[in-house]
Amino acid sequence: MNILAAHKVTKRFGGLVAVDALDFTIPQGSIVSLIGPNGAGKTTFFNCITGFYRPEDGSLFFNDVSLTALRPDQITAMGIARTYQNIRLFANMTVMENVLVGQHTRLKTGMLGAILRSPRARQEEAEALEKAQEMLRFVGLAGRGDWMAKNLPYGDQRRLEIARALASKPTRLRDALGLTILLIEHHMRVVMGISDRVTVLDYGVQIAEGTPAEIQGNPRVIEAYLGRGAASGLGQKTAVVAAAA
Amino acid sequence: MNVRLASREGLLTGFINLCCILLGLTGLAGTMVGGWFHLSSRQPGAWLLLLGIAVWGGVRAVRRVPDPSRNKTLIAGLVAGVMHGLTLAVSLWLISTLLDAGAEVRKWLVQLTPEAIRLLTFGLSPVAAAALMFVVMTTAGLVGALWVRASERYPWQRTLSKGPTTVRTRFLALPAVQNFMQRKHSQQILWGGGLLILLFFPFVLGQYWNYTLGTVGIYVILGLGLNIVVGFAGLLDLGYVAFFAIGAYIVAILTAPAPHGIMMNFWLVVPIGIVLAALAGVLLGIPVLRMRGDYLAIVTLGFGEIIRILSKSDALTDFTGGPRGIRSVGGPGLFGFDVSSEFYFMYIIILGIVLAAYVTLHLQQSRVGRAWMAMREDEDVAQAVGIYTLQYKLLAFATGAALAGFSGVIFASRNKFTGPEDFTLLVSINVLCLVIIGGMGSIPGVVAGALVLKGLPEILRQLADYRMLAFGALLILMMIVRPEGLWPSTRRQMELHERAEQSGEPDAGSSPETGP
Amino acid sequence: MATAVQTRAKRTFRIGRLIRPAIGVVVAVFVLWRLYTVLASQSFGPDTWVRFAISGLVLGSVYAVIALGYTLIYGILFMINFAHGDVMMLGAFAGYFTLEAFNGAGFLNKNLPSAIISVVVAFIVGMSVSLVISIALERIAYRPLRTAPRLVPLISAIGASLFLENVAQLTFGVARHTYTNPEVIKRNIGWTLMVGGKEVLVAYTGVLTFVLSLLLMIGLYILVQRTKMGKAMRAVAEDKDTAALMGIDVDGVIANTFAISGALAGAAGVMWGLHMGVIYHYVGFIPGIKAFTAAVLGGIGNVPGAMLGGLVLGIVEAVAPAALGMPFQLKDVLAFSILVLVLIFRPTGILGEVLSGKKA
């Protein structure tokens, strides 16, 4: 069963067609990578999924629900979380607060509950705190909860970003192994090592799709990368969509 | 090269000194110093200021010397002193000659009274006075150089900027304080204690101070409200006064006998004022909150002005009393007693502050407050973690507006009057300044900011006409020396028990509490 | 759960989409209705409309020149230079004293060339004084705060504004000063137009103001677009760090920007004095706010936008109260309403907010 299905998704910027009638599916529970040279349209497609761009054409379904009319926050509420190529944390909030914000859509306390600190709000807050601590332990940031996010070293910031993304899942961590991941990564060893399937984009068009082994041998992929110099494989850019139903 | 730099410093400080003379600051210093020491003459104070600036020029010049050997230092001081002296001497000569020739200098330099000139010339002839000035200022430059040599430079700048923070961290690190903070109800005890002290306040203070501090208190409530909008949610609102005005006009219209004669009970009007102000916040918010930072600033500024102009315009005179405002606004009663004196209002204001602080604090440490802060930090990511930003912006706007409306109700009722001139742009600016001076997003900061901002002009009253001048300069200085505010926000420690578990990592949470 | 989210989303989305057209329709109906009543009642003759339009054009061109300064500084530092209006005020005073001095020396009205020289010198003095003050302002109040959060320089600017206003009040007093124009360009003489059988005066000072502001705008546009300095300014506006890496002296460029914007403010101050006549220590405040509104209206950071925004704002202020049959004291309400409306429909201003950069 496909957790995400894109059908003929097209996104233009003026005359430039960044994503051109792309068909794309992610089976439940798999790790799918999206690769391609710089400017191939990976990030644009990614932004279409998460609702920051609205595709001109085509449809996007998450668990058979259309994403095309939804705002980013509503898409997140459905269980899609993302991290960024260059880390984007809430710098002037503590590590703990970052993870708590990640749980936003799961919590319900509104203005009144917050002001009056109703028993329900208190209980929810305590549970949220507990879950946040669990997340921090999971990514190895236990004991750093009161640090300002901006004061963390780079690696820990990445960990925190993952913790924040995981926190938005409706489920507790131990049930969360049914994660589906869409990975955008320039580091080929990572991609080939962990992906179930790989899709290659160039100029907004899918040029290859298959298992890592098939992709590695595909002449069109090699041409797309090497034909214009191999330099683009060197950067370590990562972006992940993790989704859980 | 050093000579050039030193002479530049001399010229600069000389020019500053000249400005002080032209602005009449010299005379002011004379009056103030004379007043403190009960002197009959204003000369000592005036010359103290002049010499002070000249010495400062010498000090600055010496600091420009990269390798301060004895001679170089002295030369730098001398050069600065000479340039400083030249600047002042020439100007003094020019001014006194012009005056002697009967030119109407005072027509455009109103501070140059004959008496002010005599302070500088001792009644000497222009040339003699200029020569005296030159000699004295040159010496002062030299003194500045010697001063630097004599004393290791005391790092006053650091003390000024780090001082309050250091005192606070030291205080919080005391074992007794730490023990207390670990106790279960420490927060409640602190709040209760503070409240008790506050309750005794109005008894101790006279009418004047009750009134003045009452104004400060009203600004605290305003500040707490704007703190939500600017400090938490990061929305720059320059028209905050509009909601203040709405609250004030609502209480005036509903309780005053004059234009409508509705004469409602004050306590009934309070919730009406709060709700209508919040509603106005939402109504303004819907069209404008999609705009980015500075557009929002100017549009809200415009909204504030619109409300003020409307309240003053002829078109609404029947409703708002026009430029004359509304008189005899009703005060609160309690079981048949009239409790609308300054003394009782102090309690109402204290109650208001406590309520506002309670609401703000609880919001800050909740899902709502976190969503606001996330929005302030990075709107895109906030949306990506599932925050519906438009809704939360509206919430912030409405909450801020509600608090402003509340303080407006108190304000108009206490003054028994409301009129359009109470609601100028300056109020919005003042409130914004107090939030930022106190430390954005910090609740005690708002109180500190309000005390400084509304209290400082009272303290600076001695400076008379120069009050606002000093205030403007202090604002700039404050931003340069301590941009994070007087009492920057600290985060509640949410990981206390976690750290207790992990005793192996002693240093984990203790180091970076607030950013630089 | 997912479908519930979706249906709710669809509903809110639709309402969000309806807000703008709804506002548009309401405003359009209101404006047309008022316009119809006013025109039908014929309370104003055509000559009055022309007079309104002319005064709006002149006022607007002063706003425009001040707005250029706002736009430049905002484009580069992303800060609202709150003290800009006060820089203009000090320039106006400098021009005033220059003209006074010429008048006192009997030079001002000696002959036509002497009058021209006096006015030119007044402009030069006013512009230089404002230029120096603007640079000093940047050095003292803004440069130390370059890396601070954005609100910090704003507060500093507010402090500077208070400071400058009080400096002016203390040195020049609270009295209102009336500009001494040369006889040839007294405020009440000019060309006369015949409109609908009635005379409409076009004051020379108004024409001077309008033409001069156009020239200043064109000059600034050329400076920003065609010169090396302009290129450096645009580079700094795009990205300060990269510009510095390319060997551009960022501090110098920012100082230049303040110098230019100060000079423009000084020119606007002298124009204000010559045309409006009265100056006082607080005179810069309202025009300053209006000019910032104009800059936003036209698209902040955009040089022609500031000009257009200024003119639109001036004309709206002068014509709209009469056209909508409202009392004249509501002109500021209308001015700000126009701003809100424009921003609702064009969130980045009339001409968009590109600081001359990417398109050039």
Side-chain angles (χ1 to χ4, degrees):
Chain A
M1 192 234 167
N2 290 327
I3 192 163
L4 189 95
H7 182 64
K8 299 248 176 281
V9 170
T10 305
K11 175 71 199 169
R12 296 186 195 91
F13 296 105
L16 174 79
V17 186
V19 177
D20 192 1
L22 185 66
D23 287 318
F24 188 74
T25 54
I26 306 178
Q28 170 97 50
S30 63
I31 298 179
V32 174
S33 287
L34 195 58
I35 65 171
N38 285 332
K42 305 179 296 286
T43 308
T44 308
F45 180 61
F46 207 86
N47 279 330
C48 289
I49 297 176
T50 47
F52 282 94
Y53 293 153
R54 217 169 273 279
E56 272 85 27
D57 214 349
S59 54
L60 272 162
F61 288 95
F62 179 70
N63 280 332
D64 299 330
V65 179
S66 171
L67 298 178
T68 33
L70 297 185
R71 290 191 311 268
D73 54 284
Q74 293 167 327
I75 291 175
T76 309
M78 296 172 65
I80 298 182
R82 73 172 292 185
T83 67
Y84 293 85
Q85 279 189 349
N86 35 0
I87 296 172
R88 288 172 79 173
L89 291 169
F90 302 120
N92 288 309
M93 296 170 77
T94 64
V95 168
M96 183 61 89
E97 281 171 335
N98 267 277
V99 185
L100 286 171
V101 171
Q103 300 186 43
H104 183 86
T105 51
R106 285 197 327 102
L107 307 179
K108 295 193 173 54
T109 311
M111 284 291 280
L112 226 55
I115 292 172
L116 301 175
R117 289 231 170 123
S118 63
R120 240 189 57 203
R122 262 188 234 201
Q123 198 197 342
E124 191 185 80
E125 185 77 8
E127 280 171 15
L129 213 61
E130 197 185 321
K131 184 178 166 185
Q133 250 153 22
E134 193 187 342
M135 292 296 169
L136 288 182
R137 261 198 302 272
F138 176 70
V139 298
L141 284 176
R144 303 244 160 139
D146 292 329
W147 281 45
M148 282 304 209
K150 64 180 172 196
N151 293 335
L152 286 178
Y154 179 86
D156 285 351
Q157 293 197 352
R158 176 62 83 195
R159 288 160 192 249
L160 177 56
E161 203 180 27
I162 292 169
R164 187 180 68 192
L166 290 177
S168 73
K169 290 189 304 77
T171 44
R172 301 290 297 250
L173 194 61
R174 58 176 174 276
D175 312 320
L177 293 173
L179 270 172
T180 308
I181 292 176
L182 167 60
L183 182 70
I184 299 182
E185 167 71 69
H186 276 288
H187 207 266
M188 282 308 141
R189 199 169 296 163
V190 175
V191 171
M192 297 309 167
I194 67 168
S195 306
D196 298 321
R197 301 199 65 85
V198 178
T199 297
V200 189
L201 284 188
D202 196 17
Y203 290 110
V205 183
Q206 177 180 318
I207 57 170
E209 200 275 337
T211 63
E214 289 166 14
I215 294 300
Q216 274 171 317
N218 188 318
R220 284 192 67 190
V221 178
I222 295 168
E223 188 207 309
Y225 272 95
L226 296 183
R228 270 173 266 138
S232 55
L234 295 175
Q236 277 207 344
K237 296 191 199 164
T238 319
V240 180
V241 161
Chain B
M1 197 60 195
N2 288 333
V3 172
R4 222 194 69 188
L5 285 174
S7 54
R8 220 179 77 181
E9 293 299 335
L11 272 176
L12 182 74
T13 46
F15 182 70
I16 292 175
N17 227 338
L18 183 64
C19 289
C20 285
I21 296 174
L22 294 184
L23 280 171
L25 282 175
T26 324
L28 176 78
T31 317
M32 282 175 69
V33 172
W36 292 337
F37 298 105
H38 305 288
L39 303 174
S40 54
S41 159
R42 289 167 64 196
Q43 242 132 16
W47 281 87
L48 206 63
L49 181 72
L50 288 175
L51 288 172
I53 294 175
V55 170
W56 177 53
V59 171
R60 279 184 63 115
V62 174
R63 284 202 206 136
R64 293 281 187 171
V65 182
D67 166 37
S69 74
R70 168 178 285 258
N71 290 334
K72 275 185 184 167
T73 331
L74 290 186
I75 289 171
L78 188 69
V79 170
V82 167
M83 295 314 288
H84 195 120
L86 270 180
T87 316
L88 282 192
V90 170
S91 338
L92 188 63
W93 175 78
L94 201 69
I95 292 169
S96 32
T97 319
L98 276 175
L99 278 177
D100 285 354
E104 286 182 72
V105 179
R106 278 203 70 197
K107 199 173 138 201
W108 47 284
L109 292 170
V110 288
Q111 302 293 337
L112 282 185
T113 55
E115 204 251 328
I117 299 292
R118 231 180 351 264
L119 277 181
L120 306 174
T121 59
F122 296 95
L124 295 171
S125 74
V127 177
L132 177 71
M133 182 65 93
F134 178 72
V135 172
V136 173
M137 290 300 142
T138 309
T139 324
L142 263 179
V143 170
L146 289 172
W147 166 286
V148 175
R149 288 189 50 76
S151 63
E152 277 292 320
R153 217 176 98 221
Y154 181 69
W156 60 273
Q157 265 176 317
R158 276 194 52 160
T159 321
L160 206 64
S161 65
K162 294 277 163 21
T165 327
T166 324
V167 169
R168 209 182 62 225
T169 25
R170 291 239 175 98
F171 175 74
L172 288 175
L174 289 176
V177 177
Q178 285 276 309
N179 264 334
F180 178 74
M181 296 302 267
Q182 302 279 345
R183 280 177 55 180
K184 207 176 166 197
H185 292 293
S186 57
Q187 287 276 319
Q188 283 87 335
I189 293 173
L190 270 182
W191 278 96
L195 205 62
L196 265 179
I197 296 174
L198 274 181
L199 287 183
F200 278 107
F201 243 52
F203 282 106
V204 186
L205 305 167
Q207 200 196 354
Y208 171 77
W209 281 106
N210 266 332
Y211 184 80
T212 311
L213 284 179
T215 312
V216 173
I218 287 172
Y219 270 84
V220 170
I221 304 178
L222 276 172
L224 285 171
L226 190 66
N227 187 40
I228 292 179
V229 183
V230 180
F232 292 173
L235 305 166
L236 182 50
D237 182 353
L238 288 181
Y240 192 60
V241 69
F243 308 117
F244 186 53
I246 288 173
Y249 268 101
I250 283 167
V251 73
I253 289 166
L254 291 182
T255 64
H260 305 284
I262 301 174
M263 313 265 291
M264 268 172 79
N265 185 312
F266 173 81
W267 300 108
L268 278 178
V269 176
V270 172
I272 297 178
I274 292 176
V275 169
L276 287 184
L279 203 68
V282 173
L283 283 182
L284 170 69
I286 288 173
V288 306
L289 281 178
R290 285 168 207 270
M291 292 168 198
R292 245 192 32 216
D294 296 302
Y295 293 84
L296 190 67
I298 191 72
V299 170
T300 47
L301 186 152
F303 179 68
E305 286 293 289
I306 286 176
I307 295 283
R308 186 179 65 86
I309 297 167
L310 282 181
S311 71
K312 165 162 132 172
S313 73
D314 297 334
L316 290 176
T317 302
D318 293 340
F319 197 60
T320 62
R324 286 210 321 271
I326 299 176
R327 272 159 220 291
S328 313
V329 177
L334 208 60
F335 308 116
F337 293 101
D338 180 45
V339 289
S340 55
S341 70
E342 265 91 38
F343 174 73
Y344 289 110
F345 255 109
M346 199 63 198
Y347 283 108
I348 296 175
I349 291 168
I350 290 174
L351 187 75
I353 294 175
V354 171
L355 264 176
Y358 180 86
V359 168
T360 324
L361 190 75
H362 279 190
L363 283 176
Q364 184 185 19
Q365 300 172 353
S366 74
R367 171 173 175 265
V368 181
R370 286 192 299 265
W372 283 335
M373 285 186 271
M375 225 160 62
R376 174 192 72 197
E377 294 294 313
D378 190 329
E379 208 174 317
D380 286 345
V381 182
Q383 233 179 349
V385 298
I387 295 164
Y388 182 15
T389 47
L390 196 65
Q391 178 196 345
Y392 275 88
K393 282 181 182 176
L394 277 179
L395 268 183
F397 237 59
T399 319
L403 285 177
F406 181 40
S407 54
V409 169
I410 298 178
F411 181 74
S413 173
R414 189 186 66 146
N415 290 356
K416 301 184 173 48
F417 168 77
T418 189
E421 294 317 312
D422 287 340
F423 308 110
T424 56
L425 177 63
L426 213 63
V427 179
S428 296
I429 289 176
N430 263 331
V431 180
L432 181 69
C433 285
L434 79 85
V435 169
I436 291 165
I437 285 179
M440 277 225 298
S442 150
I443 295 166
V446 169
V447 180
L451 278 173
V452 169
L453 206 90
K454 294 310 288 181
L456 204 60
E458 294 296 319
I459 297 164
L460 294 179
R461 202 164 277 276
Q462 228 187 4
L463 299 178
D465 293 342
Y466 299 86
R467 207 150 62 113
M468 292 315 281
L469 185 84
F471 182 63
L474 278 176
L475 270 186
I476 301 176
L477 190 71
M478 165 91 201
M479 286 302 108
I480 292 172
V481 177
R482 209 177 149 77
E484 74 275 22
L486 291 169
W487 195 318
S489 75
T490 43
R491 285 309 195 295
R492 177 177 61 136
Q493 292 199 345
M494 287 187 282
E495 238 195 351
L496 275 175
H497 58 282
E498 182 83 11
R499 222 175 314 140
E501 284 167 24
Q502 301 224 336
S503 47
E505 250 180 294
D507 149 280
S510 60
S511 35
E513 249 279 277
T514 40
Chain C
M1 183 205 98
T3 37
V5 168
Q6 199 186 9
T7 45
R8 202 197 62 185
K10 269 195 175 155
R11 210 178 326 126
T12 49
F13 187 52
R14 279 210 197 107
I15 292 171
R17 273 196 160 175
L18 280 178
I19 288 175
R20 281 206 233 178
I23 294 174
V25 169
V26 169
V27 170
V29 167
F30 176 77
V31 168
L32 286 177
W33 167 60
R34 294 305 300 179
L35 211 55
Y36 175 74
T37 11
V38 170
L39 290 181
S41 72
Q42 298 212 319
S43 36
F44 300 106
D47 56 316
T48 321
W49 291 115
V50 173
R51 203 173 296 135
F52 283 150
I54 290 171
S55 84
L57 221 52
V58 175
L59 184 67
S61 52
V62 178
Y63 287 162
V65 176
I66 311 174
L68 290 175
Y70 271 111
T71 265
L72 276 182
I73 292 172
Y74 187 90
I76 287 190
L77 286 182
F78 300 104
M79 80 168 266
I80 304 172
N81 182 12
F82 220 84
H84 194 63
D86 302 299
V87 173
M88 168 213 148
M89 174 270 296
L90 289 172
F93 268 103
Y96 166 78
F97 291 126
T98 315
L99 288 179
E100 282 289 290
F102 279 126
N103 192 28
F107 183 71
L108 188 66
N109 290 312
K110 213 157 113 196
N111 48 35
L112 185 64
S114 78
I116 294 176
I117 291 172
S118 305
V119 171
V120 168
V121 171
F123 267 103
I124 292 173
V125 171
M127 288 168 81
S128 327
V129 165
S130 289
L131 180 146
V132 169
I133 289 167
S134 189
I135 291 181
L137 205 61
E138 193 267 331
R139 247 341 263 276
I140 297 166
Y142 305 149
R143 190 176 294 183
L145 304 172
R146 194 75 53 75
T147 53
R150 275 187 3 157
L151 283 181
V152 168
L154 179 70
I155 300 298
S156 186
I158 290 171
S161 167
L162 281 176
F163 185 83
L164 291 180
E165 267 162 29
N166 281 281
V167 164
Q169 182 188 340
L170 289 166
T171 38
F172 313 136
V174 284
R176 289 167 181 252
H177 300 248
T178 310
Y179 248 67
T180 329
N181 290 15
E183 295 290 343
V184 282
I185 53 164
K186 280 262 174 245
R187 279 179 288 282
N188 54 3
I189 58 169
W191 291 292
T192 354
L193 289 179
M194 292 302 284
V195 180
K198 284 184 182 150
E199 289 183 353
V200 176
L201 178 79
V202 186
Y204 291 139
T205 51
V207 177
L208 176 74
T209 303
F210 184 72
V211 172
L212 198 59
S213 70
L214 272 186
L215 288 179
L216 285 172
M217 203 252 342
I218 294 168
L220 184 67
Y221 191 75
I222 291 173
L223 184 93
V224 171
Q225 297 295 345
R226 298 266 184 273
T227 65
K228 201 175 161 195
M229 184 162 120
K231 203 180 274 179
M233 283 165 66
R234 281 173 1 223
V236 172
E238 281 300 319
D239 187 335
K240 284 184 204 43
D241 295 337
T242 312
L245 286 177
M246 299 293 130
I248 293 171
D249 171 16
V250 174
D251 277 345
V253 168
I254 291 173
N256 280 340
T257 311
F258 271 86
I260 296 168
S261 89
L264 288 170
V270 180
M271 287 192 237
W272 181 278
L274 286 175
H275 186 70
M276 308 288 171
V278 178
I279 58 167
Y280 48 99
H281 65 283
Y282 211 52
V283 79
F285 184 72
I286 299 290
I289 287 185
K290 290 285 177 55
F292 182 59
T293 310
V296 173
L297 193 66
I300 197 156
N302 182 327
V303 171
M307 195 75 197
L308 185 65
L311 292 178
V312 168
L313 199 71
I315 290 173
V316 164
E317 249 188 77
V319 178
L324 299 179
M326 289 181 173
F328 210 66
Q329 35 173 226
L330 293 188
K331 66 184 165 67
D332 290 351
V333 171
L334 292 172
F336 285 119
S337 307
I338 279 289
L339 175 77
V340 175
L341 283 176
V342 167
L343 287 185
I344 287 174
F345 292 99
R346 284 196 63 91
T348 50
I350 300 175
L351 293 188
E353 66 171 8
V354 187
L355 177 95
S356 44
K358 289 160 195 158
K359 282 181 186 163

